[in-house]
Amino acid sequence: MIERSEQVRLAESLARQGRIAPAVAACYQALRVNERDPLAHCLLGGLMLAEGFCEQAARSAARAIELDQRCAAAYFVLGLAYDRMGGLWDRSILVWQQLAEVVPDLATAHVQLGEALAAASFADEAIDAWERALQIDPREPRAMYHLAVSALKREGMATALPGFRKAGELDPSQDDFFFALAGYDAEGLPAAAMSDIGPGIKSQLRAAHAFAANDELFKSSELIRSILDGHSDDVAALSLMAYLYLKQESVNEAMACSLRALTISTKTPTAVYALGAAFARRPALAAHASKLFSALTTMAPGQAMPHVLHAESLLGLQRYSAAGAAYRSALALDPGCVRALFGQAAVALTAGDHTAAAWAIRRAAYHDTRRRGYFWGPYDAAAEGGEQ
Amino acid sequence: MSTETDTGHATAGSDARRTPRRNARFPLGVNYYPLESETSGWEQWYAGDVEGDFAEFEAAGMTLVRIFISWKLFEPQVDRYSEQATERLRDIVDAAAAHGLRLIVCFFADDRHAELLDVSWGRDRDPRTDAYLIERECALVRRIVSDHRSDRAVFAWELGNEAFWCGFASGDELEAWAAALREAVREVDPDRPVMCAFDPETLFHESRVDGRRALGECEIVVSHPTMRYRTYAAEGPVTSPGSTHLDSFLLRAVGTRRPVLLDDIGAGTLEASHGEEAAALRCALYSGLMNGASGALARRWRDMATERRKPYFIDPYEAIVGLSDTEGHPKPAMRVLREFAGVLGHLDLRTYSLPHERVAVLIPSERRSPLPALASLYSPRSCLEAYVRVKEAHVPVTLAHEEEPFDPFAVLIVPSVTDLAGGTWERLASWVKGGGSLVFSYGGGEFGSEARELFGVDFLGHGGARARATCRVAQQGLLGQLEPFDVPADIPHFALLGAGTSTVVATDSAGSPLLTLNRYGQGRAVCVAAPLERVLGQSGLRTPPAEVQSFLRTLYGAVAGVTGCGPLVSCDAPEVEVALFAGEDDDVLFLLNHADRSLTANVGFVVPVATVTDIRGGSPAVVGGSSFGAPLEPHGVMVLRLCYA
């Protein structure tokens, strides 16, 4: 365990509040007290990287590694700084390899390693790295996106498209979108015990959505069936049932449930979503999926995900410029939408614009790193004395 | 700056294969490195076909070539000079003279391929600080200058390249070395320009060494973005808008009245395609000319033949991307350079001149404050953003340093500043009272009594960071047609202001003033309560909010307009940079598209235009009105001679 000085604790606290300048000053203060404090160097590097000052970040992180060779957070900072500085792929590759040795079961290290290898034009080695990341964590969406992009470069869209769909399914944002359409915040839906669920349909529906959001699909199905026994025309229940079937790869059943919901009410966004997602699983029905997702963009204004889904269906129809426009719409609503950025890279590749594709991928990686908060996890682990 | 080279023959009527007429008043050329392949040894210094290459330079319309001396080759043993090296340099100088080229001779260049400085007898001593080595360096300089002082082909003596200057640990050491070497040149050649080929801004960024005092003695200074600086200041592809404005930004930042040579221009890494290399070079060349550069040097003549590297490695100062490929076949960038030379050949810079810029973005002295003050790192990005936004408003703009006098300017933009040096607020207040217009955006820190009085506001405290940028327009038309917005943005600071004597032009969502205008004496003081330029500058890999960009563009344009220094030429495309070279009977209009898409720029003039003609020749097109549309390709350029009705 690394002893945290008072100044480092202060810097951490300021950094977590987003008060960068005083946090940096506190780090300098900590280093005046003890220049050999790896946490202070590491934190300073993280702060500099957050502000986009990559050279300063790299210097601090390198010093932190010098002082503590098992400081995973410092490797993160150093690797990300080298990646952003560009042209330093040899150093970047080395850093990600070292991180993979320090924390062998960290899928992200292999994802990053793959990105550095790809940027250095080592395509085969990059694919190996991403496949290794998926072996460690089969639910790693960024590795899947990269494999899809590689397939696109090598064999074209037909081969790549299932990869993009699979990556999209792994990306948690699509499930969050379904629950948002249903009127729930997925993160604020804790699954309750069956015995605690109230008798009313409203509380039962909420509980069913909560089970679904927490991957307790059988409990959710059970509850939905009991709702449908009494209220066979409940469109919310039918839509959730369709969603649950989709999660279990039962596409025909999902279609049946969502169609049933839409015959009762055509204005049910969750049913439109479920039917579109079901159609999207059948390549021959891509045109239908495209129409449904297009409709969903007007039913859920201000949401990026319908535009992304629409764009992906357009990719399936080989309407690349239209897909590009849909991705742009998604990014206008959510500039940090990782899935849209990877999609934009795919569209750029179909137009032969490799620079735009590389830039979109770099931005996607940046936003993915940011949304997952990669720095604080390993930093806290280092501060607590354990590995991540 | 003039190379006084022969003017060649004209191409009016336009046979593209003919040599473009050369413009002695704007030297155009290339860095000519000693080695063309990584496998070549240091002793193969300029062992290639120099004569043939110089013939190609001449054919392309170039007038200027930078060559690099190899100390290792010239002085293999202490005080024993190589006759072979001396003769080879003589041949180079003769070849240059034969082709009407002028040479910049760089004495001490750090180049990891050619090992120019690695004298074996120097051991591990530092050539920048070791007294004995400096003595030997002076002797070498005296010898070479003495050999060539009567050669007209030598245009200037250059003490070192930026990779070399970056090795200094302090400004004092740098200045002492420069003074010693300059003195050595002057002992033999009192007339020719002496240069120190570093850009003060990029050098400071790399080494935190302030080299500006050493430049004080130089007759010509240089400006260039290094690859690292480009990544720092304008992250993104080399053809992204921030990046394509960076060359002119640094050119303006040099801020001297001496000629500025825009050197090392063009793409620096192999990551860009040939098309992107050409686009980057085009933007740098034209925007350099449009912003008052006195000459331009492309980064490299021929691609360095590199070995297959596993993994690929790029040194930050390594120049490996040239105008032609390793086989010598010209790349699209070469065509761009030729075309530019053709345009230059038809632009008489004695007759046409750019207007004096009366709008300036102020580079605060906190740029040079030491860490942990992050202002030194935020500042260049904020200034670049402000500069680009003023450019987008088509207002002629330059950069000024805080310590310089403000009198030459009518509008000053002070972007996202945390603190100004002591006395600056008083100087600003006096300048505004005399009729100047100040646009200041709050960058955190205190809002002192001078600032409160100048802006006519009460400072109620620091409002903290915000996740959204919101603007509600309270007084439409007072500072242009501002559009309200509410967008996600990381706002690090927000000054809580009380209106006081100022007029609130816009507020945030809670009604707190965002933009205020105060009449102070005969001038105006405009305050923006949040560091919006920093928000844009810090966006990096994120997408900068277009609404904030538009807000600043409108604000700057409006303030310049009401102060009487608005655009000379109106243009409806913000991405298009406009420059008007005014002549006696006619003007020359430059339009440069910084966007990566085709567009038509509708330009308007106060006086009706009778005809427009491509500067390189062709039939005049009748306009007969005060506006016309100019179609521009992605990163395309149009240069038109305007005759007024």
Side-chain angles (χ1 to χ4, degrees):
Chain A
M1 178 170 170
I2 303 168
E3 188 73 23
R4 269 186 291 185
S5 69
E6 207 171 292
Q7 290 81 7
V8 168
R9 284 176 196 276
L10 173 66
E12 271 177 40
S13 161
L14 290 164
R16 286 181 211 271
Q17 292 168 36
R19 298 175 61 194
I20 305 289
V24 168
C27 284
Y28 271 80
Q29 186 61 36
L31 291 170
R32 270 194 285 273
V33 175
N34 177 15
E35 197 283 327
R36 298 185 59 80
D37 184 343
L39 278 180
H41 284 291
C42 178
L43 185 57
L44 181 58
L47 289 164
M48 289 295 190
L49 185 66
E51 293 298 279
F53 305 135
C54 299
E55 288 146 59
Q56 288 77 9
R59 271 199 285 273
S60 296
R63 180 74 181 129
I65 292 167
E66 234 176 84
L67 296 166
D68 176 10
Q69 294 188 357
R70 300 197 62 77
C71 183
Y75 286 101
F76 259 115
V77 172
L78 188 58
L80 291 172
Y82 284 154
D83 285 350
R84 281 185 72 175
M85 284 159 78
L88 299 169
W89 307 117
D90 57 336
R91 298 188 206 175
S92 175
I93 289 165
L94 192 66
V95 171
W96 296 122
Q97 280 171 337
Q98 285 171 337
L99 178 59
E101 283 169 21
V102 171
V103 193
D105 58 348
L106 185 63
T108 313
H110 295 274
V111 176
Q112 297 283 165
L113 175 61
E115 284 173 4
L117 286 163
S121 302
F122 293 98
D124 293 336
E125 290 85 345
I127 289 171
D128 291 345
W130 292 320
E131 284 175 347
R132 175 83 186 114
L134 283 169
Q135 281 168 11
I136 294 169
D137 179 5
R139 297 188 60 79
E140 171 53 63
R142 201 158 115 209
M144 185 56 80
Y145 280 125
H146 279 299
L147 289 174
V149 169
S150 300
L152 176 60
K153 284 180 186 168
R154 288 165 178 237
E155 295 171 58
M157 188 56 85
T159 316
L161 206 52
F164 279 110
R165 288 207 187 98
K166 179 73 182 160
E169 286 162 23
L170 296 177
D171 198 321
S173 55
Q174 188 167 337
D175 291 333
D176 293 349
F177 171 64
F178 172 81
F179 293 110
L181 281 180
Y184 301 106
D185 173 9
E187 286 184 10
L189 270 177
M194 278 289 197
S195 54
D196 295 342
I197 300 166
I201 185 168
K202 207 171 171 182
S203 60
Q204 288 186 336
L205 267 176
R206 181 182 169 78
H209 280 92
F211 284 132
N214 288 284
D215 276 343
E216 295 190 42
L217 304 186
F218 289 113
K219 279 187 186 172
S220 182
S221 301
E222 203 180 310
L223 204 50
I224 286 292
R225 283 199 185 95
S226 72
I227 294 170
L228 289 172
D229 283 346
H231 306 85
S232 59
D233 286 350
D234 189 293
V235 288
L238 284 165
S239 302
L240 180 58
M241 197 69 216
Y243 170 84
L244 293 169
Y245 277 127
L246 276 175
K247 295 294 279 183
Q248 294 165 85
E249 304 291 332
S250 304
V251 177
N252 292 341
E253 289 78 359
M255 279 187 208
C257 286
S258 47
L259 277 169
R260 169 80 183 130
L262 287 172
T263 52
I264 297 162
S265 167
T266 54
K267 292 189 168 50
T268 313
T270 46
V272 173
Y273 163 81
L275 187 59
F279 283 160
R281 303 269 178 104
R282 298 273 188 260
L285 299 176
H288 298 302
S290 173
K291 284 177 189 160
L292 284 162
F293 289 137
S294 174
L296 200 57
T297 58
T298 51
M299 295 172 93
Q303 295 264 18
M305 189 52 70
H307 294 279
V308 173
L309 295 169
H310 185 215
E312 286 173 1
S313 62
L314 289 167
L315 285 184
L317 295 169
Q318 299 187 358
R319 293 174 55 196
Y320 300 129
S321 57
Y327 281 127
R328 280 195 294 279
S329 301
L331 289 168
L333 293 165
D334 178 5
C337 179
V338 174
R339 193 163 164 180
L341 285 165
F342 271 108
Q344 205 175 41
V347 171
L349 285 172
T350 60
D353 191 346
H354 288 257
T355 303
W359 181 239
I361 289 171
R362 281 183 69 180
R363 289 178 60 204
Y366 167 79
H367 284 290
D368 191 47
T369 310
R370 207 165 177 239
R371 72 176 173 173
R372 296 208 212 174
Y374 282 143
F375 177 73
W376 287 111
Y379 176 85
D380 289 337
E384 295 303 324
E387 287 172 7
Q388 196 191 214
Chain B
M1 192 164 114
S2 166
T3 51
E4 297 168 13
T5 312
D6 67 273
T7 53
H9 43 268
T11 54
S14 273
D15 178 350
R17 285 169 302 178
R18 292 180 66 193
T19 305
R21 179 163 54 191
R22 295 194 278 184
N23 190 330
R25 292 195 163 260
F26 190 97
L28 176 66
V30 68
N31 288 330
Y32 189 54
Y33 282 90
L35 303 182
E36 291 175 355
S37 165
E38 272 189 329
T39 53
S40 304
W42 60 271
E43 69 286 350
Q44 288 173 285
W45 183 77
Y46 292 115
D49 181 13
V50 175
E51 176 80 29
D53 288 341
F54 281 9
E56 290 195 50
F57 297 171
E58 183 187 15
M62 296 188 209
T63 51
L64 197 60
V65 181
R66 177 187 273 149
I67 59 167
F68 302 87
I69 296 295
S70 172
W71 188 12
K72 186 173 187 173
L73 192 72
F74 269 79
E75 195 173 358
Q77 292 173 44
V78 180
D79 205 23
R80 297 278 300 274
Y81 294 96
S82 159
E83 281 306 313
Q84 191 192 357
T86 306
E87 277 171 29
R88 213 180 288 173
L89 179 60
R90 161 61 49 207
D91 292 344
I92 294 168
V93 174
D94 290 346
H99 292 284
L101 299 169
R102 307 286 308 271
L103 297 173
I104 293 176
V105 180
C106 179
F107 291 113
F108 299 100
D110 205 345
D111 181 290
R112 75 186 194 91
H113 299 294
E115 303 171 30
L116 302 172
L117 304 175
D118 299 345
V119 281
S120 54
W121 45 268
R123 305 189 184 222
D124 292 333
R125 287 178 291 194
D126 187 346
R128 296 165 188 86
T129 51
D130 182 84
Y132 178 67
L133 285 191
I134 292 174
E135 193 184 303
R136 298 305 322 146
E137 288 165 351
C138 290
L140 176 79
V141 164
R142 277 191 290 267
R143 183 183 169 86
I144 292 175
V145 173
S146 174
D147 283 354
H148 298 281
R149 67 180 162 185
S150 56
D151 278 317
R152 216 180 143 268
V154 175
F155 173 66
W157 306 109
E158 188 174 277
L159 302 183
N161 70 352
E162 188 158 316
F164 178 81
W165 293 106
C166 268
F168 284 97
S170 75
D172 290 341
E173 284 178 359
L174 183 150
E175 205 180 343
W177 187 88
L181 271 290
R182 185 185 156 79
E183 183 56 34
V185 175
R186 283 286 169 255
E187 279 175 26
V188 188
D189 184 350
D191 301 323
R192 273 204 189 84
V194 176
M195 301 165 63
C196 299
F198 63 82
D199 183 306
E201 170 64 15
T202 56
L203 178 78
F204 181 78
H205 179 75
E206 184 66 29
S207 62
R208 307 293 290 182
V209 168
D210 188 350
R212 287 180 295 174
R213 275 181 304 174
L215 291 180
E217 297 293 314
C218 295
E219 288 80 7
I220 299 169
V221 292
V222 305
S223 159
H224 52 231
T226 58
M227 281 186 284
R228 276 200 185 163
Y229 194 86
R230 195 178 286 282
T231 311
Y232 155 73
E235 196 169 2
V238 287
T239 51
S240 62
S243 194
T244 54
H245 279 288
L246 192 59
D247 295 84
S248 72
F249 172 78
L250 288 171
L251 174 74
R252 298 282 192 179
V254 172
T256 66
R257 291 174 193 276
R258 282 158 294 166
V260 184
L261 176 70
L262 199 63
D263 70 345
D264 291 348
I265 54 173
T269 73
L270 293 169
E271 286 171 3
S273 68
H274 284 190
E276 286 161 341
E277 284 175 15
L281 184 71
R282 186 184 298 115
C283 289
L285 285 171
Y286 283 93
S287 95
L289 178 61
M290 292 159 78
N291 285 281
S294 299
L297 281 180
R299 187 179 296 273
R300 188 179 173 95
W301 163 236
R302 186 171 288 173
D303 281 352
M304 167 71 88
T306 53
E307 289 179 279
R308 172 79 174 144
R309 296 166 175 183
K310 276 199 165 190
Y312 199 79
F313 179 85
I314 297 171
D315 185 285
Y317 287 105
E318 186 177 48
I320 54 176
V321 183
L323 298 170
S324 57
D325 66 17
T326 51
E327 302 296 317
H329 303 305
K331 296 199 286 186
M334 187 64 204
R335 195 168 60 240
V336 167
L337 191 120
R338 256 187 97 92
E339 284 168 3
F340 181 73
V343 167
L344 276 180
H346 289 87
L347 181 68
D348 186 348
L349 291 167
R350 287 168 301 187
T351 311
Y352 298 96
S353 59
L354 286 166
H356 172 64
E357 297 83 12
R358 296 177 62 219
V359 178
V361 174
L362 194 79
I363 301 175
S365 52
E366 67 183 12
R367 161 61 177 140
R368 293 181 188 268
S369 56
L371 288 169
L374 289 181
S376 67
L377 294 169
Y378 291 134
S379 175
R381 289 178 177 171
S382 301
C383 290
L384 175 62
E385 281 298 330
Y387 174 78
V388 174
R389 301 287 89 78
V390 187
K391 281 278 178 197
E392 288 178 348
H394 306 114
V395 173
V397 62
T398 189
L399 297 166
H401 294 267
E402 189 180 332
E403 57 275 15
E404 291 173 16
F406 302 148
D407 297 341
F409 307 109
V411 177
L412 275 178
I413 295 162
V414 185
S416 307
V417 170
T418 308
D419 196 15
L420 292 171
T424 300
W425 280 116
E426 288 86 344
R427 289 171 58 216
L428 281 172
S430 154
W431 173 79
V432 172
K433 204 174 262 181
S437 291
L438 172 69
V439 183
F440 169 85
S441 61
Y442 174 73
E446 284 304 307
F447 215 84
S449 57
E450 302 102 325
R452 293 199 297 272
E453 188 195 333
L454 178 55
F455 294 110
V457 295
D458 299 322
F459 182 59
L460 308 175
H462 186 277
R466 298 176 173 202
R468 295 192 76 81
T470 308
C471 170
R472 303 273 178 267
V473 182
Q475 296 276 348
Q476 189 59 278
L478 203 58
L479 287 173
Q481 295 301 311
L482 297 167
E483 294 287 335
F485 59 81
D486 179 27
V487 291
D490 291 332
I491 309 278
H493 309 285
F494 194 95
L496 298 174
L497 302 176
T501 58
S502 67
T503 305
V504 177
V505 183
T507 70
D508 70 352
S509 56
S512 182
L514 171 71
L515 178 64
T516 62
L517 168 64
N518 191 40
R519 294 305 300 250
Y520 188 79
Q522 293 175 44
R524 295 171 185 81
V526 176
C527 179
V528 184
L532 297 183
E533 298 88 355
R534 189 188 303 169
V535 170
L536 298 175
Q538 288 296 110
S539 56
L541 287 162
R542 287 166 280 164
T543 309
E547 293 83 354
V548 177
Q549 291 177 329
S550 170
F551 173 86
L552 289 175
R553 181 164 62 235
T554 308
L555 171 64
Y556 296 155
V559 173
V562 295
T563 314
C565 19
L568 299 170
V569 179
S570 69
C571 176
D572 65 351
E575 305 93 330
V576 174
E577 186 175 358
V578 179
L580 190 69
F581 283 76
E584 286 176 11
D585 303 322
D586 55 6
D587 293 345
V588 175
L589 176 71
F590 278 71
L591 299 170
L592 171 62
N593 181 11
H594 284 270
D596 58 1
R597 62 185 175 86
S598 302
L599 52 81
T600 297
N602 292 302
V603 287
F605 303 83
V606 179
V607 182
V609 176
T611 60
V612 294
T613 317
D614 187 312
I615 194 170
R616 289 168 297 180
S619 310
V622 177
V623 177
S626 56
S627 67
F628 60 86
L632 291 160
E633 294 293 310
H635 301 110
V637 71
M638 190 172 275
V639 188
L640 301 170
R641 195 180 298 281
L642 308 173
C643 290
Y644 298 101

